Amino acid sequence: MQKPLPSVTLESKLPHVGTTIFTVMSALAVEKGAVNLGQGFPDFDCDPALVDAVTAAMEHGFNQYPPMTGVPALREAIAAKIAQLYGHRYDANAEITVTAGATQALLTAILCAVRQGDEVIVIEPVYDSYVPAIELAGGKPVTVQMTLGPNGYAVPWDEVAKAVTPKTRLIMINSPHNPTGTIFDERDIAALSDIVRGTDILIVSDEVYEHMVFDGRRHDSMCRYPELAARSFVVSSFGKTYHVTGWKVGYVAAPAALTAEFRKVHQFNVFTVNTPAQHGLAAYMQNPAPYLELAGFYQHKRDLFRAGLEATRFRLLPCDGTYFQCVDYSAISSVPEAEFAKWLTSEIGVAAIPVSAFYGTPRESGIVRFCFAKKDETLQTALKRLATM
Ligand SMILES: *Cc1c(COP(=O)(O)O)cnc(C)c1O
């Protein structure tokens, strides 16, 4: 008789992390044949010229390790774009790093900045990767909740100011904001500036939706404000901008001293990022039209989707940026958000994400999030189904 092997156990470093609601809702959408307006990715293809540019890079033999910090032509194109749009000239060699998507940029920024016991302020509803990344770094997430008024969600900066302690190392911000679709304006910038002035608090600014700001408003990047740029890791993602979420290429822009520390972690975290994609993106970025036209492209989809929703009993929240539309369903049902999202998927055939999933301790506001980064036909189909409610 063979002796049974002793079982090996591993104490979880992230005991609170389970299957995410995105996976659950996507699986349910497939099972029920629902239109998936849950998870945030386009159901249409990218520009074939971008695929050609990456293919050409592979054919030209750009298939080995690139420089650790990113392909120089791409870093230069990123620095030029930021200078053009936001008026801040980063040094492409010392201040721009190409990453494996925004997720890795966020994790790496947090790992290089946060030590055991440091506090990091996060604003709920919060993107799902922030808190686990802070916990892996040994930091303590300190949450402040956005307020929800007649004009939608807003950051209560007085609460953020109160959450600051001598242990505060970092504030995580995200504008345009997923899931609420709110964007920062001058008042947000002024309040944030007042909070950090005279402190050594760093900022991680998640700006992956920087090119999706509507109604002629502008994206208030941290790069626009020298005082804020001096303490910020500014993160963006080509996945969101060029409809290629599966490519996982992004970047971080930060002052040289912060970038130097970022790169020490990056070097042993991923080392380098997909070479042909970087060359292809560098060539493709030479034409600014695709990112300049993105706001108009998504504004059309937002307007089409909102116009259709007007015929339902959903109450529309404002959507000033991103490709997400939040709706209040309290005129339709009083069940908790996760339950409502499951019902909507199973019975109506449209998948949505409960906003409560973006809170550490679920907060019920009667609100779900739809993603409108879909073909017009997909949105029409979803609207027809929603109209049956
Ligand atoms: C999609 C998303 C990311 C992740 O971007 P990747 O480039 O796919 O890693 C980060 N932050 C927010 C707010 C997002 O919506």
Side-chain angles (χ1 to χ4, degrees):
M1 269 260 298
Q2 237 181 349
K3 272 200 212 154
L5 289 168
S7 65
V8 177
T9 56
L10 171 63
E11 191 193 335
S12 179
K13 285 186 142 184
L14 296 171
H16 310 299
V17 173
T19 312
T20 71
I21 187 74
F22 305 99
T23 310
V24 172
M25 295 308 302
S26 288
L28 189 63
V30 172
E31 186 195 320
K32 303 287 183 184
V35 180
N36 192 354
L37 304 189
Q39 215 170 353
F41 58 84
D43 71 341
F44 45 85
D45 224 337
C46 68
D47 185 349
L50 178 55
V51 175
D52 290 346
V54 176
T55 307
M58 282 191 272
E59 287 169 352
H60 283 102
F62 291 118
N63 298 304
Q64 308 308 327
Y65 290 133
M68 182 269 282
T69 58
V71 164
L74 181 56
R75 282 187 279 108
E76 192 46 59
I78 293 164
K81 184 200 81 166
I82 294 174
Q84 178 69 32
L85 292 182
Y86 309 127
H88 182 90
R89 181 78 212 187
Y90 285 99
D91 178 333
N93 284 324
E95 300 185 314
I96 305 282
T97 309
V98 179
T99 61
T103 309
Q104 184 244 319
L106 294 164
L107 174 65
T108 303
I110 290 166
L111 287 176
C112 79
V114 176
R115 289 159 200 265
Q116 195 72 35
D118 283 352
E119 293 177 3
V120 180
I121 297 179
V122 296
I123 294 159
E124 290 183 326
V126 63
Y127 187 67
D128 62 354
S129 81
Y130 301 179
V131 167
I134 294 161
E135 288 173 345
L136 281 178
K140 179 171 168 256
V142 174
T143 55
V144 172
Q145 296 192 345
M146 288 173 100
T147 54
L148 177 56
N151 295 323
Y153 288 90
V155 177
W157 291 106
D158 51 335
E159 297 290 324
V160 176
K162 274 189 236 154
V164 170
T165 77
K167 287 188 178 166
T168 307
R169 178 80 284 240
L170 199 67
I171 300 179
M172 307 280 304
I173 56 171
N174 171 219
S175 174
H177 184 253
N178 174 10
T180 66
T182 56
I183 62 174
F184 282 1
D185 61 19
E186 320 77 80
R187 280 164 307 177
D188 296 295
I189 298 296
L192 175 61
S193 304
D194 286 347
I195 289 170
V196 296
R197 192 172 299 125
T199 72
D200 61 1
I201 296 172
L202 301 174
I203 295 169
V204 170
S205 183
D206 181 344
E207 303 185 11
V208 301
Y209 298 105
E210 62 179 319
H211 301 298
M212 299 172 211
V213 172
F214 309 134
D215 308 312
R217 294 182 61 183
R218 69 171 208 180
H219 170 56
D220 260 328
S221 174
M222 290 300 108
C223 306
R224 284 190 195 276
Y225 304 93
E227 196 186 7
L228 294 172
R231 58 176 81 235
S232 293
F233 294 95
V234 176
V235 172
S236 193
S237 169
F238 293 109
K240 302 289 159 75
T241 299
Y242 290 148
H243 318 305
V244 288
T245 58
W247 287 12
K248 300 299 294 187
V249 185
Y251 59 87
V252 62
L258 300 186
T259 292
E261 292 310 310
F262 180 96
R263 287 175 176 176
K264 287 180 191 173
V265 178
H266 177 80
Q267 172 152 19
F268 302 112
N269 183 218
V270 287
F271 179 44
T272 61
V273 175
N274 189 308
T275 308
Q278 290 195 59
H279 283 277
L281 286 163
Y284 190 72
M285 275 188 88
Q286 298 311 310
N287 176 11
Y291 57 79
L292 294 179
E293 289 163 5
L294 197 67
F297 174 82
Y298 276 121
Q299 187 170 321
H300 157 81
K301 292 193 182 293
R302 179 202 64 170
D303 292 345
L304 182 157
F305 191 52
R306 284 178 72 93
L309 288 175
E310 293 290 356
T312 69
R313 279 180 296 153
F314 285 125
R315 189 175 65 79
L316 297 176
L317 272 67
C319 170
D320 297 325
T322 74
Y323 47 49
F324 300 111
Q325 174 65 55
C326 286
V327 297
D328 179 323
Y329 63 82
S330 50
I332 299 168
S333 167
S334 55
V335 300
E337 292 174 10
E339 207 177 301
F340 182 78
K342 282 181 190 156
W343 173 80
L344 201 63
T345 309
S346 311
E347 303 302 321
I348 305 298
V350 180
I353 298 291
V355 171
S356 57
F358 296 81
Y359 289 85
T361 311
R363 171 185 142 149
E364 294 296 337
S365 310
I367 292 175
V368 292
R369 185 198 80 176
F370 291 116
C371 171
F372 57 79
K374 307 293 166 185
K375 292 178 200 140
D376 288 1
E377 306 91 272
T378 309
L379 295 174
Q380 305 280 18
T381 306
L383 287 168
K384 261 189 220 131
R385 294 184 181 185
L386 293 171
T388 64
M389 273 189 305

